[in-house]
Amino acid sequence: MAKVNLGGVEIEVDEDGFIVDPNVWNEKVAQALASTEDVPNMSEEHWKVVKYLRDYYQKYNIAPMIRKMCKDTQVDLKHMYELFPTGPAKGACKIAGLPKPTGCV
Amino acid sequence: MAVAAEKKEVKKIIDLGLEEGAKKLTPEKIEITINNALAAMGGARLDAYVSTCIHCGLCSEACHFYLSHDGDPHFSPVGKVKQTMWEILKNKGRVSPDSVKKIAEIAYTECNLCRRCSMYCPFGIDIAYIISSVRRICHLLGVTPQYLQDTAHSHAATMNQMWLKQDEWIDTLFWQEDDYRREIKNLTIPLDKEGADIMYSVIGPEPKFLAMLIGNAAKIMNVAGIDWTFPSFDGWDNSDMAMFSGDQEIMGRVKRAHFEAAMRLKVKRIVMGECGHAFRSVYDVGNRWFGWKMPPVPVIHAIQFYYELIKEGRIKIVKKFKEPVTLHDPCNVMRGRGLGDMARYVVNAICEDFRDMSPNKEHNYCCAAGGGVINCGPPWKLKRMEGNRVKAEQMKATGARVVITPCHNCHSGIEDIIGYYKLGMHTKFISDILVDAIEVPESMKAKK
């Protein structure tokens, strides 16, 4: 585990750069995490997806299926991968302050 | 050719699975568990390997961990066996909880079970089998990496590796069918079609996150006019991380579900998507667990399927991919099953500028993600990156922009290496390129 400066605060991240404590997440932190995942600027669409992921995770303690992500945010699959070039599992989840999903991802 | 990477100081890695597991151990429990495990394994294969090894060290130069750590003997295959299985055998199972933790770390995170070392061993000792046996012991002792164990739990509870429920699987297929009809008129993803020629099976992350791979498969099947189907029920996920955690009972159940789905649907054969470990689980590990000489339903890898489609003219390539590409040979399909030439046939058919890696085919360097290592999760990421500098150098030397990786673990692991060593490349599956290269007959095109 290491501490890195995200949005002006020292925050603990794991070896893959995911934040350890989901409660320290805020928009500034998200912005800083985004720059590590090939998302230089967070657009309105990015925020919509990221906030959706966060809400879903807080409710169900797991990342949503990509189908639900796309349907509920009205972002189609291809565009989702354009928004988050490193993918929804790694990029979008990291920016939203979720832990890395388990499995072959 | 050296590649630069930022150096970080070595920190002690904490993995809850190993820490908490080791806390529950007592010397008695360890001794009994290990000796029961060794007795149950039958021992002949293991004994032969352990007693044949003359410690010559020829395996060392084969290992990407060893090479990437500038010849540190700790990372040589023989060194890893010495620190794990020999330690266990020498002490007749009397090892401390702390030693078990160390043994587990080596077996789960410092060996990808890729078997490159076996190619260089003068006796052909299957070192991956020895390390797998160590993992089996660790599993029985309850000392397994947390992320990997979570995936094995998912297999046990849901028969797939991503905690998917049946309706989520079915909904995803309907969604992809719907989506792709914008491009292909009346495209279908048939469910539970009895007597179909082919059952197509995938791994859990495809419906969970990588749904376009299901769409890609559907497009290829529809354009080629294949009689195919997916099962709507358990058995659709062909992956098997329990095989790598050492939980052979769950591995067997998962494998049985996969073949039973094919038998229930009375299909002629199974085609598996672009995954390596899942393929290993049907031709090497799962079949042996069941004592099968041959799987009950013939099963082939996607590479062979694409090869047949192109060779037999069932799909026509009209638009080749232009960017320079290279091909990473996944251990479980190339070294394990010899599909290297077929893969090159396919890649040359769909790409204009193919630049092979060196070494390649069965001599290719591992991705460092396979064997369940990437599945051990974030705590071990840095170790995985530092352990595969040779892969970065090998890929950089090709001058390619795209690395084709017909395996999920390789795909994610190599993307990580590209990022860590700043290689400016990207990974793609074969199907990502194939779907844009094939001719879609006018009559099948959807009206825009």
Side-chain angles (χ1 to χ4, degrees):
Chain A
M1 304 274 178
K3 284 206 168 180
V4 292
N5 191 302
L6 291 171
V9 242
E10 292 286 306
I11 287 177
E12 204 174 10
V13 296
D14 67 23
E15 303 292 339
D16 208 351
F18 287 77
I19 61 171
V20 175
D21 177 5
N23 295 319
V24 301
W25 186 92
N26 60 38
E27 291 193 7
K28 270 192 173 163
V29 171
Q31 197 97 48
L33 288 166
S35 66
T36 69
E37 290 296 317
D38 299 342
V39 180
N41 292 303
M42 289 286 286
S43 69
E44 214 171 291
E45 265 183 322
H46 286 104
W47 284 120
K48 192 163 65 175
V49 174
V50 161
K51 286 182 178 164
Y52 171 78
L53 273 176
R54 235 189 122 63
D55 287 347
Y56 190 97
Y57 182 73
Q58 281 174 340
K59 250 192 218 154
Y60 303 109
N61 222 17
I62 189 169
M65 301 276 299
I66 184 73
R67 186 191 74 89
K68 271 201 78 62
M69 263 172 92
C70 290
K71 291 261 171 193
D72 292 347
T73 60
Q74 298 288 304
V75 173
D76 79 19
L77 181 59
K78 204 169 160 226
H79 191 43
M80 190 67 84
Y81 274 84
E82 287 162 0
L83 288 176
F84 301 97
T86 55
K90 205 171 154 264
C93 283
K94 186 186 279 183
I95 298 168
L98 274 60
K100 187 179 178 200
T102 58
C104 297
V105 290
Chain B
M1 186 186 311
V3 285
E6 43 185 309
K7 271 274 172 213
K8 288 183 184 164
E9 56 176 307
V10 185
K11 288 187 210 80
K12 176 150 170 50
I13 299 166
I14 303 290
D15 184 308
L16 281 182
L18 304 186
E19 298 297 327
E20 298 301 316
K23 271 187 205 160
K24 293 179 191 140
L25 294 175
T26 60
E28 297 74 34
K29 192 176 165 186
I30 294 173
E31 190 182 347
I32 293 170
T33 307
I34 289 179
N35 288 312
N36 285 348
L38 289 170
M41 280 174 201
R45 192 174 172 193
L46 188 62
D47 275 354
Y49 289 151
V50 172
S51 55
T52 308
C53 176
I54 55 162
H55 316 180
C56 67
L58 283 175
C59 54
S60 304
E61 297 283 338
C63 182
H64 49 287
F65 274 104
Y66 176 85
L67 294 171
S68 302
H69 285 281
D70 301 322
D72 181 347
H74 170 88
F75 290 103
S76 78
V78 63
K80 287 180 258 193
V81 172
K82 180 177 184 296
Q83 296 167 87
T84 58
M85 190 51 96
W86 291 352
E87 185 71 14
I88 288 168
L89 294 174
K90 190 182 74 195
N91 293 302
K92 298 190 169 59
R94 284 190 288 273
V95 287
S96 69
D98 261 354
S99 298
V100 172
K101 217 161 64 181
K102 240 174 65 193
I103 287 169
E105 177 171 340
I106 294 169
Y108 286 110
T109 75
E110 295 172 12
C111 173
N112 297 94
L113 311 177
C114 78
R115 292 201 169 118
R116 190 168 191 265
C117 47
S118 294
M119 310 263 310
Y120 297 82
C121 170
F123 304 104
I125 293 172
D126 186 351
I127 295 163
Y129 175 77
I130 302 177
I131 299 291
S132 293
S133 304
V134 174
R135 292 189 186 187
R136 171 69 175 161
I137 288 170
C138 293
H139 158 73
L140 292 168
L141 289 167
V143 182
T144 52
Q146 186 191 21
Y147 272 71
L148 180 64
Q149 189 57 52
D150 182 279
T151 308
H153 283 328
S154 175
H155 277 301
T158 66
M159 285 289 123
N160 68 73
Q161 65 153 282
M162 301 296 289
W163 300 100
L164 256 71
K165 291 181 292 187
Q166 191 185 14
D167 60 338
E168 293 177 317
W169 162 242
I170 297 171
D171 283 352
T172 299
L173 298 180
F174 284 171
W175 169 55
Q176 277 306 291
E177 182 179 78
D178 221 28
D179 241 27
Y180 240 109
R181 282 184 181 172
R182 283 186 291 188
E183 193 184 324
I184 309 281
K185 206 161 52 182
N186 301 326
L187 174 135
T188 55
I189 298 185
L191 275 184
D192 300 341
K193 187 178 176 210
E194 224 180 83
D197 285 341
I198 284 168
M199 177 180 106
Y200 188 69
S201 62
V202 299
I203 77 169
E206 296 196 20
K208 179 85 188 185
F209 294 119
L210 296 155
M212 63 286 204
L213 295 180
I214 292 172
N216 288 353
K219 178 175 174 180
I220 294 164
M221 296 287 188
N222 277 263
V223 170
I226 304 293
D227 178 19
W228 70 302
T229 190
F230 271 124
S232 68
F233 45 87
D234 286 351
W236 58 263
D237 185 345
N238 55 30
S239 73
D240 210 328
M241 275 298 140
M243 166 174 80
F244 287 146
S245 74
D247 191 342
Q248 294 172 352
E249 289 77 9
I250 295 301
M251 173 199 69
R253 278 179 59 205
V254 173
K255 287 289 77 67
R256 185 186 288 275
H258 181 233
F259 280 110
E260 279 181 354
M263 292 170 85
R264 192 171 142 190
L265 294 174
K266 303 185 175 66
V267 295
K268 295 194 180 70
R269 58 179 182 164
I270 301 169
V271 174
M272 302 174 87
E274 292 177 52
C275 178
H277 91 273
F279 200 44
R280 181 190 194 126
S281 76
V282 299
Y283 74 70
D284 176 32
V285 190
N287 51 327
R288 290 202 166 94
W289 172 250
F290 283 117
W292 291 338
K293 250 187 174 170
M294 295 284 283
V297 180
V299 47
I300 63 165
H301 190 271
I303 291 173
Q304 188 177 343
F305 183 60
Y306 304 149
Y307 171 81
E308 288 175 5
L309 293 181
I310 297 173
K311 188 111 181 157
E312 291 165 11
R314 298 195 75 153
I315 49 176
K316 228 171 106 186
I317 307 300
V318 287
K319 204 177 116 203
K320 286 193 172 192
F321 188 73
K322 288 201 166 54
E323 272 187 279
V325 303
T326 186
L327 171 71
H328 168 78
D329 292 280
C331 61
N332 291 317
V333 279
M334 309 304 196
R335 185 149 45 243
R337 222 51 180 160
L339 301 188
D341 289 329
M342 285 190 198
R344 279 162 182 77
Y345 178 90
V346 173
V347 170
N348 276 311
I350 61 177
C351 299
E352 273 180 7
D353 184 358
F354 168 53
R355 304 168 182 197
D356 217 335
M357 284 194 207
S358 172
N360 57 35
K361 295 185 188 166
E362 65 270 32
H363 294 284
N364 181 39
Y365 291 127
C366 173
C367 64
V373 174
I374 192 171
N375 303 71
C376 294
W380 307 100
K381 159 107 187 264
L382 208 52
K383 190 172 205 184
R384 186 157 55 81
M385 295 299 99
E386 287 166 350
N388 214 356
R389 194 186 68 223
V390 288
K391 185 83 230 172
E393 290 166 358
Q394 182 200 18
M395 293 194 294
K396 193 179 176 189
T398 65
R401 303 282 301 161
V402 169
V403 186
I404 298 176
T405 52
C407 164
H408 280 273
N409 279 165
C410 299
H411 190 269
S412 309
I414 285 182
E415 197 68 57
D416 283 341
I417 288 172
I418 289 170
Y420 183 79
Y421 290 97
K422 301 187 172 51
L423 301 180
M425 304 164 115
H426 273 296
T427 52
K428 276 184 187 294
F429 290 101
I430 294 176
S431 79
D432 289 329
I433 296 176
L434 190 57
V435 284
D436 291 330
I438 57 177
E439 180 184 52
V440 178
E442 278 308 317
S443 60
M444 293 185 84
K445 283 185 185 160
K447 286 197 184 85
K448 297 272 172 189

